Every structure is written in C-alpha cells, then in structure tokens.
Amino acid sequence: MDLTMLIGWILAAILIVNGIGVDKLGNFWDVPSVLIVIGGTIAGLVACYPFRILKEVPKHIAICLRGGKKYNIPKTVDAIVDLALIARQSGLLALEEKAEEIKEPFFKQAVVMIVDANDPDKVRAALERQVEDMMTRHEEAKGLYVKGSALAPAFGMIGTLVGLINMLKGMDLSGSGGSSTLGQDMGVALITTFYGSSLSNVIFHPIAQKLTIRDNEEVLYCQVIIEGVIAIQSGDNPKVIRERLLASLDQKQQKKLLAKAGAGGGGDK
C-alpha cells in the first residue's frame, strides 16, 4: 500500500490540532458551520455529478492507497521481451498459449490482437483508443475532487457571509438582547472559512493529485505495452525492444536494468 496520503492527513491533523491547542478544540466545533460547509459541498457535488461517478468514491480512495507497483514497467518490459523471443523462435502463433497466462486484461488483449494477425496500424489505433477512453474516465473521476476543492472554500465563504450578516443584524438589535448572539455569529463566520480551506487543501486536492499520478502510471504502462506488441509484430530484435521500452524510465534506472539484463544474458538473441 501507498500510505503517503494517510501519513499526510495524519500529519496535517496533528499540526492543526497542535496549532489550535487541545484545550481549545471545542472552540472549533460548530454544527451550523459543519452543515454549511460539508453539507453544502456534498450537495454541490451531488448536483454536479451523476450517481455512477459518486458511487465510485470508495474505489477512488482505494486507488489512492494502492501501491504504485501494480504497473511495474521493468517487469512488464521483461514479459514483453520474453514474448518477443518466443515470437522470433516459433512465430506469432506461439504466443496464443502465453496470452492465456497473462492476467492483466489490456496486456492480454494486446497480445491476442497481434496473434490474430491484425494490421499493425489497426492494432495501434484500437489500443490507443482504449487508452484515450480510459483517460476520459479518469478525468471524470479526478474532476469530482477538483470540483470539491473549489466548492469547499466557496461554501466556507457562504458561511462567512451568513455569520457576518447575522452579526450585523445582531448589532442593530443590541438594545433588545441581540448582542448575546454576536460571538456565536462571528464564530460561524470564521469557522466556516477554516472548515472550507481545510477540506479543500487537506482532503480534496491531495486525492485529485494522487489520482493524477495513478492515471499517469497506468497510461505509461499501456503505452509501453502498445509499443512492445507492435515491435513484436514487426519482428524487431528483443534487445532493441528492451532498450526502446526502458527509455520511458530515468537514465539511472535504465542503465541499471540494461546492465542487469546484459549480465544475465538477457535472452536477447
């Protein structure tokens, strides 16, 4: 699991509580402010997005907490090079049995498409279309949290205006006991801003950013597979395929993996 988001949330909570002071936490609890900011933000998101996206929130959190090793590029490159060796020795049809052993759906489909002797351009177009559709779905999911990070401060400002208006009205009525509510109204005015800013910067924005990172990881994984299977179909040398696919990694990691493949013989014959 990738616990960095949870660690960030815990650190943020500790620092905020430490800044407030444990003995003064009660001053920052206000039910009307919670209803305005959290309730208003949720209501705004419900109004903006269909249920098919809203119901995926638990899944989005799970994706954020998922370790980044699901789309392991070096391991994927090794698998592609192994397939390239088999294809050079026994032909593309020999990959049909290997395709059944692949668990990841996109990788499996890509191998099956080249085994079926489809035109390389059509294979690339079909796979790239799937990646584009996937990115569109991911953008919809990420947009939910980007919108939430905008709505939370906005409802915090609404709460601030509500509190200020009630405070000013109370000042007009100060002669008839209205001044007794000034502190409460001012508290609502300031606490809602605090709630809105915290909700935006501690919850919504980190989730949106983490989903962006996960999207980039999956897109890179798919691009490596596309380039790999097209190279296999073209009959390229496995060593050349490895070098080309590892180009997506940083130079230090490239050299390390290429040296490791060379030391082990690499099977690139």
Side-chain angles (χ1 to χ4, degrees), residues 1-6 58-72 134 138 210-219 221:
M1 291 184 64
D2 183 355
L3 299 178
T4 53
M5 191 170 72
L6 283 179
K59 179 182 176 181
H60 300 158
I61 302 300
I63 290 172
C64 291
L65 297 177
R66 183 189 68 208
K69 296 298 183 181
K70 180 176 180 180
Y71 301 110
N72 190 316
M134 177 193 72
H138 290 177
K210 188 72 74 171
L211 288 176
T212 300
I213 293 172
R214 292 289 177 260
D215 176 55
N216 292 338
E217 290 172 350
E218 189 168 0
V219 169
Y221 169 80

Side-chain angles (χ1 to χ4, degrees), residues 61-230:
I61 302 300
I63 290 172
C64 291
L65 297 177
R66 183 189 68 208
K69 296 298 183 181
K70 180 176 180 180
Y71 301 110
N72 190 316
I73 300 301
K75 185 177 179 180
T76 302
V77 171
D78 286 340
I80 291 173
V81 170
D82 289 342
L83 293 176
L85 285 168
I86 295 172
R88 280 173 69 88
Q89 294 169 0
S90 306
L92 288 175
L93 289 177
L95 300 181
E96 187 171 8
E97 183 178 345
K98 286 292 183 180
E100 296 301 320
E101 300 175 4
I102 300 173
K103 296 181 179 180
E104 204 285 314
F106 186 82
F107 194 0
K108 182 175 182 178
Q109 181 186 10
V111 175
V112 169
M113 290 180 72
I114 63 171
V115 169
D116 291 340
N118 289 301
D119 180 79
D121 291 336
K122 292 182 178 179
V123 172
R124 180 184 291 276
L127 294 175
E128 288 181 346
R129 178 60 184 270
Q130 286 193 40
V131 174
E132 290 174 2
D133 292 342
M134 177 193 72
M135 292 173 66
T136 299
R137 294 193 301 272
H138 290 177
E139 282 297 320
E140 286 183 340
K142 184 177 70 173
L144 174 68
Y145 303 96
V146 173
K147 176 62 71 175
S149 68
L151 287 175
F155 276 99
M157 182 58 66
I158 290 173
T160 298
L161 294 174
V162 169
L164 290 175
I165 290 170
N166 287 336
M167 183 186 70
L168 293 174
K169 290 290 185 180
M171 291 175 66
D172 291 340
L173 299 173
S174 59
S176 57
S179 60
S180 61
T181 64
L182 290 180
Q184 179 181 352
D185 294 334
M186 191 61 184
V188 171
L190 297 178
I191 292 175
T192 51
T193 301
F194 171 77
Y195 284 172
S197 182
S198 298
L199 195 60
S200 174
N201 293 289
V202 177
I203 303 297
F204 285 116
H205 188 70
I207 294 176
Q209 184 61 34
K210 188 72 74 171
L211 288 176
T212 300
I213 293 172
R214 292 289 177 260
D215 176 55
N216 292 338
E217 290 172 350
E218 189 168 0
V219 169
L220 177 59
Y221 169 80
C222 292
Q223 289 174 340
V224 166
I225 288 175
I226 293 172
E227 294 300 326
V229 296
I230 295 299

